[in-house]
Amino acid sequence: TKLLFFHAPWCPQCREMEASIQRRGVPSGVTVFKVDYDSNQSLRQKYGVTLQTTFVKVDDEGNKVASYVAYEEPRFSSVERELLR
């Protein structure tokens, strides 16, 4: 499973999410790719991302499968609940 994590270094929720990932790790078979929210407008547009802390689940061809905004609950457990079950 591939997840794109749209983050910004100035975003407190993004830093909280990063700490959560570093503390707990991610499940086996899951890869998280950090995407800089500020400098990747084309990817934001492609996947309809309008807020940092958005995770986009993509298939092997890079097509969007689902997305989840973790802004209100910036812990990786919320991403697991919404995108990995």
Side-chain angles (χ1 to χ4, degrees):
T1 303
K2 296 177 182 76
L3 298 175
L4 306 180
F5 170 29
F6 286 83
H7 77 97
W10 47 263
C11 165
Q13 288 85 352
C14 297
R15 291 194 300 268
E16 199 172 324
M17 177 62 75
E18 273 195 288
S20 172
I21 291 171
Q22 289 173 353
R23 259 192 324 274
R24 296 186 65 233
V26 296
S28 179
V30 174
T31 304
V32 176
F33 297 93
K34 279 176 52 176
V35 179
D36 185 77
Y37 181 83
D38 294 319
S39 64
N40 285 288
Q41 287 87 354
S42 62
L43 278 180
R44 282 177 27 208
Q45 193 169 35
K46 176 179 179 174
Y47 295 114
V49 173
T50 58
L51 189 65
Q52 66 279 3
T53 69
T54 299
F55 282 78
V56 178
K57 183 178 183 178
V58 296
D59 64 18
D60 289 337
E61 287 76 45
N63 299 307
K64 178 179 174 178
V65 174
S67 64
Y68 170 66
V69 180
Y71 191 86
E72 296 294 327
E73 196 179 347
R75 291 178 299 285
F76 196 72
S77 58
S78 70
V79 176
E80 290 181 276
R81 183 185 67 236
E82 298 296 326
L83 294 179
L84 300 179
R85 297 195 192 274

